[in-house]
PDB file of all heavy atoms in Angstrom:
ATOM      1  N   ASP A 666     -45.494 -77.432  -0.425  1.00 94.00           N
ATOM      2  CA  ASP A 666     -46.340 -78.595  -0.701  1.00 94.00           C
ATOM      3  C   ASP A 666     -47.649 -78.601   0.073  1.00 94.00           C
ATOM      4  O   ASP A 666     -48.370 -79.597   0.034  1.00 94.00           O
ATOM      5  CB  ASP A 666     -45.572 -79.887  -0.362  1.00 94.00           C
ATOM      6  CG  ASP A 666     -44.267 -79.989  -1.124  1.00 94.00           C
ATOM      7  OD1 ASP A 666     -44.319 -79.917  -2.360  1.00 94.00           O
ATOM      8  OD2 ASP A 666     -43.209 -80.139  -0.481  1.00 94.00           O
ATOM      9  N   GLY A 667     -47.945 -77.540   0.798  1.00 95.00           N
ATOM     10  CA  GLY A 667     -49.114 -77.540   1.662  1.00 95.00           C
ATOM     11  C   GLY A 667     -50.408 -77.159   0.969  1.00 95.00           C
ATOM     12  O   GLY A 667     -50.487 -77.007  -0.258  1.00 95.00           O
ATOM     13  N   CYS A 668     -51.430 -76.968   1.789  1.00 96.00           N
ATOM     14  CA  CYS A 668     -52.775 -76.678   1.274  1.00 96.00           C
ATOM     15  C   CYS A 668     -52.841 -75.346   0.535  1.00 96.00           C
ATOM     16  O   CYS A 668     -53.666 -75.177  -0.368  1.00 96.00           O
ATOM     17  CB  CYS A 668     -53.775 -76.673   2.427  1.00 96.00           C
ATOM     18  SG  CYS A 668     -54.079 -78.291   3.169  1.00 96.00           S
ATOM     19  N   ARG A 669     -51.988 -74.392   0.900  1.00 96.00           N
ATOM     20  CA  ARG A 669     -52.108 -73.078   0.275  1.00 96.00           C
ATOM     21  C   ARG A 669     -51.689 -73.091  -1.191  1.00 96.00           C
ATOM     22  O   ARG A 669     -52.139 -72.249  -1.976  1.00 96.00           O
ATOM     23  CB  ARG A 669     -51.282 -72.041   1.040  1.00 96.00           C
ATOM     24  CG  ARG A 669     -51.683 -71.853   2.485  1.00 96.00           C
ATOM     25  CD  ARG A 669     -53.170 -71.709   2.716  1.00 96.00           C
ATOM     26  NE  ARG A 669     -53.762 -70.532   2.110  1.00 96.00           N
ATOM     27  CZ  ARG A 669     -55.000 -70.116   2.353  1.00 96.00           C
ATOM     28  NH1 ARG A 669     -55.778 -70.807   3.185  1.00 96.00           N
ATOM     29  NH2 ARG A 669     -55.482 -69.054   1.759  1.00 96.00           N
ATOM     30  N   THR A 670     -50.840 -74.034  -1.581  1.00 95.00           N
ATOM     31  CA  THR A 670     -50.544 -74.149  -3.013  1.00 95.00           C
ATOM     32  C   THR A 670     -51.777 -74.628  -3.771  1.00 95.00           C
ATOM     33  O   THR A 670     -51.992 -74.253  -4.930  1.00 95.00           O
ATOM     34  CB  THR A 670     -49.372 -75.115  -3.251  1.00 95.00           C
ATOM     35  OG1 THR A 670     -49.695 -76.407  -2.711  1.00 95.00           O
ATOM     36  CG2 THR A 670     -48.106 -74.598  -2.591  1.00 95.00           C
ATOM     37  N   GLU A 671     -52.592 -75.471  -3.107  1.00 95.00           N
ATOM     38  CA  GLU A 671     -53.864 -75.884  -3.712  1.00 95.00           C
ATOM     39  C   GLU A 671     -54.802 -74.686  -3.853  1.00 95.00           C
ATOM     40  O   GLU A 671     -55.562 -74.581  -4.811  1.00 95.00           O
ATOM     41  CB  GLU A 671     -54.522 -76.976  -2.863  1.00 95.00           C
ATOM     42  CG  GLU A 671     -53.682 -78.218  -2.661  1.00 95.00           C
ATOM     43  CD  GLU A 671     -53.466 -78.981  -3.954  1.00 95.00           C
ATOM     44  OE1 GLU A 671     -54.348 -78.899  -4.834  1.00 95.00           O
ATOM     45  OE2 GLU A 671     -52.421 -79.635  -4.081  1.00 95.00           O
ATOM     46  N   ASN A 672     -54.716 -73.775  -2.898  1.00 96.00           N
ATOM     47  CA  ASN A 672     -55.550 -72.580  -2.963  1.00 96.00           C
ATOM     48  C   ASN A 672     -55.160 -71.712  -4.154  1.00 96.00           C
ATOM     49  O   ASN A 672     -56.022 -71.178  -4.863  1.00 96.00           O
ATOM     50  CB  ASN A 672     -55.415 -71.796  -1.652  1.00 96.00           C
ATOM     51  CG  ASN A 672     -56.311 -70.583  -1.598  1.00 96.00           C
ATOM     52  OD1 ASN A 672     -55.945 -69.504  -2.056  1.00 96.00           O
ATOM     53  ND2 ASN A 672     -57.495 -70.746  -1.046  1.00 96.00           N
ATOM     54  N   VAL A 673     -53.871 -71.555  -4.388  1.00 96.00           N
ATOM     55  CA  VAL A 673     -53.408 -70.782  -5.542  1.00 96.00           C
ATOM     56  C   VAL A 673     -53.880 -71.437  -6.839  1.00 96.00           C
ATOM     57  O   VAL A 673     -54.332 -70.763  -7.772  1.00 96.00           O
ATOM     58  CB  VAL A 673     -51.873 -70.652  -5.514  1.00 96.00           C
ATOM     59  CG1 VAL A 673     -51.387 -69.916  -6.758  1.00 96.00           C
ATOM     60  CG2 VAL A 673     -51.419 -69.924  -4.262  1.00 96.00           C
ATOM     61  N   GLN A 674     -53.781 -72.768  -6.888  1.00 95.00           N
ATOM     62  CA  GLN A 674     -54.219 -73.506  -8.082  1.00 95.00           C
ATOM     63  C   GLN A 674     -55.698 -73.265  -8.360  1.00 95.00           C
ATOM     64  O   GLN A 674     -56.103 -73.054  -9.516  1.00 95.00           O
ATOM     65  CB  GLN A 674     -53.955 -75.003  -7.865  1.00 95.00           C
ATOM     66  CG  GLN A 674     -54.474 -75.910  -8.962  1.00 95.00           C
ATOM     67  CD  GLN A 674     -53.631 -75.849 -10.217  1.00 95.00           C
ATOM     68  OE1 GLN A 674     -52.436 -75.617 -10.146  1.00 95.00           O
ATOM     69  NE2 GLN A 674     -54.253 -76.051 -11.370  1.00 95.00           N
ATOM     70  N   LYS A 675     -56.524 -73.251  -7.314  1.00 93.00           N
ATOM     71  CA  LYS A 675     -57.962 -73.032  -7.484  1.00 93.00           C
ATOM     72  C   LYS A 675     -58.272 -71.646  -8.025  1.00 93.00           C
ATOM     73  O   LYS A 675     -59.242 -71.452  -8.755  1.00 93.00           O
ATOM     74  CB  LYS A 675     -58.684 -73.214  -6.137  1.00 93.00           C
ATOM     75  CG  LYS A 675     -58.731 -74.630  -5.639  1.00 93.00           C
ATOM     76  CD  LYS A 675     -59.246 -74.698  -4.219  1.00 93.00           C
ATOM     77  CE  LYS A 675     -60.670 -74.219  -4.106  1.00 93.00           C
ATOM     78  NZ  LYS A 675     -61.225 -74.411  -2.745  1.00 93.00           N
ATOM     79  N   ASN A 676     -57.454 -70.677  -7.656  1.00 95.00           N
ATOM     80  CA  ASN A 676     -57.753 -69.291  -8.000  1.00 95.00           C
ATOM     81  C   ASN A 676     -57.207 -68.869  -9.354  1.00 95.00           C
ATOM     82  O   ASN A 676     -57.898 -68.188 -10.115  1.00 95.00           O
ATOM     83  CB  ASN A 676     -57.209 -68.357  -6.908  1.00 95.00           C
ATOM     84  CG  ASN A 676     -58.100 -68.301  -5.682  1.00 95.00           C
ATOM     85  OD1 ASN A 676     -59.078 -67.563  -5.657  1.00 95.00           O
ATOM     86  ND2 ASN A 676     -57.786 -69.096  -4.675  1.00 95.00           N
ATOM     87  N   ILE A 677     -55.968 -69.254  -9.667  1.00 93.00           N
ATOM     88  CA  ILE A 677     -55.360 -68.738 -10.895  1.00 93.00           C
ATOM     89  C   ILE A 677     -54.828 -69.832 -11.802  1.00 93.00           C
ATOM     90  O   ILE A 677     -54.221 -69.541 -12.840  1.00 93.00           O
ATOM     91  CB  ILE A 677     -54.229 -67.749 -10.559  1.00 93.00           C
ATOM     92  CG1 ILE A 677     -53.126 -68.428  -9.734  1.00 93.00           C
ATOM     93  CG2 ILE A 677     -54.775 -66.538  -9.827  1.00 93.00           C
ATOM     94  CD1 ILE A 677     -51.924 -67.529  -9.485  1.00 93.00           C
ATOM     95  N   GLY A 678     -55.018 -71.104 -11.423  1.00 92.00           N
ATOM     96  CA  GLY A 678     -54.636 -72.188 -12.311  1.00 92.00           C
ATOM     97  C   GLY A 678     -53.177 -72.560 -12.290  1.00 92.00           C
ATOM     98  O   GLY A 678     -52.715 -73.324 -13.143  1.00 92.00           O
ATOM     99  N   THR A 679     -52.419 -72.063 -11.337  1.00 92.00           N
ATOM    100  CA  THR A 679     -51.014 -72.433 -11.193  1.00 92.00           C
ATOM    101  C   THR A 679     -50.706 -72.653  -9.726  1.00 92.00           C
ATOM    102  O   THR A 679     -51.394 -72.109  -8.849  1.00 92.00           O
ATOM    103  CB  THR A 679     -50.084 -71.340 -11.752  1.00 92.00           C
ATOM    104  OG1 THR A 679     -48.730 -71.740 -11.570  1.00 92.00           O
ATOM    105  CG2 THR A 679     -50.321 -70.014 -11.060  1.00 92.00           C
ATOM    106  N   ARG A 680     -49.670 -73.440  -9.436  1.00 93.00           N
ATOM    107  CA  ARG A 680     -49.332 -73.762  -8.063  1.00 93.00           C
ATOM    108  C   ARG A 680     -48.226 -72.858  -7.518  1.00 93.00           C
ATOM    109  O   ARG A 680     -47.619 -73.187  -6.496  1.00 93.00           O
ATOM    110  CB  ARG A 680     -48.905 -75.224  -7.962  1.00 93.00           C
ATOM    111  CG  ARG A 680     -50.004 -76.221  -8.346  1.00 93.00           C
ATOM    112  CD  ARG A 680     -49.479 -77.645  -8.301  1.00 93.00           C
ATOM    113  NE  ARG A 680     -49.087 -78.017  -6.957  1.00 93.00           N
ATOM    114  CZ  ARG A 680     -49.916 -78.483  -6.029  1.00 93.00           C
ATOM    115  NH1 ARG A 680     -51.208 -78.614  -6.325  1.00 93.00           N
ATOM    116  NH2 ARG A 680     -49.485 -78.812  -4.834  1.00 93.00           N
TER     117      ARG A 680
END
Side-chain angles (χ1 to χ4, degrees):
D666 303 304
C668 291
R669 300 313 296 190
T670 58
E671 302 293 331
N672 183 273
V673 177
Q674 175 75 30
K675 290 171 64 174
N676 281 277
I677 60 175
T679 179
R680 298 177 64 85

